[in-house]
Amino acid sequence: MSDQSEYPSESIGSDNGLRPLSNVDDLSLGNPSNNDLSRIMNRAGIALANGFPLDDDEDEEDVDEDYVSVDQDDANEFPYWFRRPPTHHRTKLDELHPFVQLLSVSNVEDCIKVENAFPEPERCSRDKFKYRLTRCPELSLGLFTLPLLGEGEPKPRPTLVGHIIATRTSEPLVTDRSMRLPDNWQNERWSFEDSQAVGHEEGGSTIAIHSLAVEPEHQGKQVGSTLMKAYIHRIREAQIADRIAIIAHDHLIPFYESFGFESRGPSKCQFGGGGWVDLVLEFGPEPQE
């Protein structure tokens, strides 16, 4: 499923360390003062931040990826000055000072707030969020905003503005069974009905996205596309699945096709009243060098 303005709902919808600011240790500049270093860098056309040169090679080509990806364990210690000022024309996304990180069960209330962007029948419930963020949090991703602060200002809690929530399935497409909340999931690792798995299937080769949602006030700011691009990159690089599957309404098909998803026709899913289309992104073999 998906955000209705940016294209992402419950049934739509790298390294994860901080990016180094520079390779300044490799520079052969003797032992210049801060002023000397600034002067040298300015002559070379290199922007400075806190006395360190910025490596901007990637920014000019991938303007949508001007965020920092951090691990859940690092989130509380995320330093403000590691987030680099954009070198391209500022966008509405830049104004959020965004970063992405994995979600956990501690983000359930945040996710509920974001999910309210969708019609009630298409929203993920609180219990489903608890289940998915407890059973397979590594398959979730959130985009947060954390404004840059002045010296001495207290650091607020990051605000979740968009999320992707998913589970694994052994089926090649999203199914109603994969979207269901298993009975007694808190006490049973696996749940079956009529010899078929219900909910998350560990080891399943398909990542089934159940929710791609963006808060209404932040729709139209490339939040959904930034999240999807980061999510696909993470799953592809980790090589943990053969494909990503999602269901969406007709008007969102072009959005997903722009990321490589292919339409597989009307979905059998009846979640939220039905009317979905199956979309699949297959991960083929790695290209030969």
Side-chain angles (χ1 to χ4, degrees), residues 242-261:
D242 294 336
R243 66 190 63 82
I244 298 176
I246 197 168
I247 58 175
H249 292 302
D250 288 340
H251 68 285
L252 298 178
I253 293 176
F255 172 76
Y256 291 108
E257 288 181 335
S258 71
F259 295 102
F261 284 84

Side-chain angles (χ1 to χ4, degrees), residues 23-179:
N23 58 348
V24 67
D25 291 337
D26 297 330
L27 296 175
S28 299
L29 298 176
N31 187 25
S33 66
N34 286 339
N35 289 336
D36 291 335
L37 180 58
S38 298
R39 212 165 32 246
I40 292 170
M41 293 304 178
N42 286 336
R43 290 176 182 172
I46 302 175
L48 290 171
N50 296 318
F52 293 95
L54 301 177
D55 179 4
D56 293 326
D57 291 340
E58 296 179 0
D59 293 41
E60 294 182 3
E61 296 180 1
D62 299 317
V63 295
D64 288 340
E65 297 189 6
D66 205 5
Y67 57 82
V68 174
S69 177
V70 297
D71 287 327
Q72 179 70 28
D73 293 340
D74 299 328
N76 293 333
E77 301 301 324
F78 183 66
Y80 292 83
W81 57 275
F82 263 74
R83 282 173 294 138
R84 302 165 11 175
T87 58
H88 56 278
H89 180 68
R90 288 190 65 82
T91 67
K92 292 181 179 180
L93 181 64
D94 293 323
E95 295 171 0
L96 297 178
H97 305 290
F99 66 94
V100 297
Q101 70 178 47
L102 297 180
L103 299 173
S104 73
V105 71
S106 67
N107 297 115
V108 166
E109 296 303 321
D110 300 318
C111 291
I112 291 172
K113 184 173 182 292
V114 171
E115 194 79 357
N116 286 336
F118 300 104
E120 186 171 356
E122 297 181 8
R123 297 175 191 167
C124 178
S125 67
R126 175 181 274 101
D127 286 342
K128 282 186 177 179
F129 275 129
K130 288 181 179 178
Y131 166 63
R132 292 166 181 169
L133 293 177
T134 298
R135 188 57 54 83
C136 50
E138 72 281 359
L139 301 180
S140 68
L141 196 65
L143 187 145
F144 293 80
T145 178
L146 191 62
L148 297 173
L149 301 179
E151 184 176 354
E153 292 183 295
K155 184 170 69 172
R157 187 173 184 267
T159 300
L160 181 68
V161 298
H163 66 228
I164 291 178
I165 309 294
T167 62
R168 285 181 178 271
T169 177
S170 59
E171 300 290 337
L173 302 171
V174 177
T175 65
D176 283 322
R177 286 189 298 101
S178 70
M179 300 180 66

Side-chain angles (χ1 to χ4, degrees), residues 208-251:
I209 294 180
H210 303 302
S211 180
L212 170 52
V214 177
E215 278 203 322
E217 66 180 290
H218 296 298
Q219 292 176 6
K221 299 180 180 179
Q222 298 183 333
V223 172
S225 57
T226 298
L227 255 177
M228 180 56 76
K229 184 183 295 185
Y231 192 82
I232 292 172
H233 176 76
R234 184 182 295 267
I235 300 299
R236 189 192 302 273
E237 291 297 304
Q239 299 182 0
I240 59 173
D242 294 336
R243 66 190 63 82
I244 298 176
I246 197 168
I247 58 175
H249 292 302
D250 288 340
H251 68 285

